[in-house]
Amino acid sequence: MLLAAAPVVLLAFALVYGHAHRTLTPQDLIVPGGLLAAFFAAHLAVRRFARGADPLLLPLAALLSGIGLAVLTRLDPSLASAQVLWVLTGVALMTVTLAAVPSLEVLARYKYTIAIAGAVLLLMPAFVGREVNGARLWIRMGGLSFQPAEIAKLLLVLFFAAYLSQNREVLSVSTRRVLGLWVPPARHLGPLVAMWALSLVVLVALKDLGSSMLFFGLFLVMVHAATGRPAYTLAGLALFAAGAAVAYQLFGHVRVRVETWLDPFADVTGRGYQLAQSLFALGAGGMAGVGVGRGFPQRIPFVETDFIFAAFAEELGLLGGAAVVVAYLVLCLRGLATAVRARSDMAALTAVGLVAAFGLQVFVIVGGVTRLIPLTGITLPFVSYGGSSVVSNFILLALLMRAGDPVLAPIAPDAGLTGELGRGALSRRARQVAILLASLFVALVVNLTYVQAVAAPALAAHPANTRSVAEQASRPRGAIVTADDVVLARSVPDGALFAREYPEGAFAAHVVGYSSPRYGRAGIEAAADDALSSRRAFSTLGDMVGAAAGLPVPGNDVILTIDSRIQREAEAALSGRRGAVVAVDPRDGRVLAMASAPDFDPGDVDGGWDALAATAGAPLVDRAAGALYPPGSTYKTLTLAGALAAGVASPDTTYTGPARMEIGNAPVTNYGGKGYGTLDLRTAFARSVNTVFGQLAVELGPERLVRASEAFGVGEGLPLETPSRASLMPDPSEMTVWETAWAGIGQPVGEHPSPPGPQVTVAQMALVAAAVANDGIIMRPHLVAAVRDPAGVELSVTRPREWRRALDPATAATVRELMVGVVERGSGTNARIAGVRVAGKTGTAEVGKAATTHAWFMALAPADEPRVAIAVVLENAGAGGRDAAPAARRVIEAALGAR
């Protein structure tokens, strides 16, 4: 059997070393060879001290230990080196245990001493332990850490076996009824209640759900094997369920584990990160795995201990993961076969308890990693890193072999543990335990099949799954470059991988976005991923030769429409303030600048995500296209355009413009409380008179006002490469007269099922200006000008395309002239540029019930032959004409100077 296990272990190490070193030498097989030699020596010791033990147990332990060491060598060679020493120590202690314990029945004489020692070890971390990953399981002595619970588990099994073998006949006899159930004398029920209390103490004091489940579960299995009384099992399950329910309500760490199990993706970068990454790894593994060394187990926290099964199943797939589960199942079944043929109750119940502890531990950890049950923090026997676990499992193996070794001296008469009466019944119940464990392991395989075969496509497509980002780090991505050849992002060698570098730091950060192996991608890094990614097309002989040689494939470069000179002025205009600037070329839809403040450095995302997420002002939010604002008086441009196009008014139509007037039985007021008397629409637009445009909006009506807005794209997401929010207007059937008046002024005031409006993005208002500049036609806005291969050959070029026709040319020309009036003699004089006719519109938007206002300015220039259209918002900055217009002017000057 050891000879059968040896090739599997050697192959596992060969695959690991072959991938790591690209070659395989005889020296690479020293560790697995030495490991197998140690097991062959252990085999000789077993033949000496436990000749009648099951011959399959040691080979299975060798197989699992060898696989575990190979996986650890793949994950962390330094940990693997330490694990080798622990495995050798465990093998030695297994031999010592076989030699020192000639009979389990002898240990039964010291059952209460063993029980006290087990309880002390189990509870010791609550007083002198340290907390790791939420659970208080570890004790540190000098430079060594160990888990007392691993040894306590074995001691408690020995105690339970001794107690139950001595009292199982009494426990099987009922003497009184409680709640309709026959139960034995109260003094014999003490251990059941004590174990229930102990498991809850473990749950509360050690914050360890897994150990609590494991200890109580193995006790119930042993009680059932000893007595066969369903009442014990049902009562025990009810007690544990009640205790767990109370713990869920009282203790946050229990609640977190359960909630994370129910929805690990609710907080995928926080408490659900570990489980989510495990599921992503399993999904990536699929049926046959990604291959040894080709996975990304380092993305899973505590992968060497709690989540080593996920690392194994990722690289060897469902077939490898199921094979390991089957190996554990075979070991458990052989252990229970030992219980069936054991010559005494003590030996039989010890075997049942050891197998229950072992099998339930496997089920709990693999079930947690694969999301079959809530996640726990215990280790996978023989495979996970950890000296305590390895040593205790080899001692467990020795005790199990001792239980199955009938070649012993006769049992001492005073042991009182022969248990000849009822041995057939105990054997039947051991078989029932085998069926239970087999069912649990079948559930593991079924669930693993679902995750790795059925759910794998959905897991791969999940937005939080950034494994493709990590996979692409092995190949260089293309560069992101501005229209005037400033490199904003590029890949640089970082050892065997490639790191993403952002030479300009936070410059154009929201356009460029980021490419993070943990947090995914955003901006152009996400939108142009297909172009930037390294994918070999195999279209030439060179592609095939490069693939055979393992040469990295450089990605293609993405050339932006952004002009760095205009972008710098836009960002300078926002310096020290919150807001956004968007400038476009109205003739072809090229986005010349798109700035948002505050900003961030894309290179800091991996290390500073939490700080960025907690920073006031939300620097990760793209205020240019991803934030909605009340547009203030800039929206009067749309109201004016709708009224002119519908024939409701002309520039010469006169209105009264009092400081305050009732419209729809509620007040409409002018900014600053100023009255204007009687004036025409041209002057009212130049001076931005609210009361006039409130009247005009009511005359236009909600249906036509909303329809005019939709003509400019309001209500529809912008066709940019990067994500954008759709600007909003209410359902016209829900709008009151007063709301319609204020909507025409650009101030949302409604309260109804549909959203109050208008609410707009800065990019949307830049396109409104572009429509007025381009005879009513909005060209499709775009950020990507071209894609070039590493040789500089253009693979694709973005051609100008019409997006929508918002106005007829005559109406657009009229609106444009009225916007010129705003700058030359109205509220936008701060946007004047010598020698250039600028057309614009100011806006001062009130923010809720606060006294602060957002400053807006929307413009196009030169008015006769427009080459740039722009929108600016400055949050809580004051008046549009005073604060936003000068900011827009400097960007317009940069745009005109750059052409």
Side-chain angles (χ1 to χ4, degrees), residues 834-849:
V836 179
R837 293 182 76 222
V838 178
K841 183 68 191 78
T842 59
T844 304
E846 296 183 12
V847 186
K849 297 181 180 180

Side-chain angles (χ1 to χ4, degrees), residues 16-43:
V16 170
Y17 285 125
H19 179 271
H21 306 146
R22 307 296 182 189
T23 186
L24 190 64
T25 65
Q27 288 79 8
D28 292 330
L29 300 181
I30 291 177
V31 170
L35 178 71
L36 292 172
F39 276 99
F40 277 107
H43 166 71

Side-chain angles (χ1 to χ4, degrees), residues 49 211 224:
F49 296 111
S211 295
H224 174 75

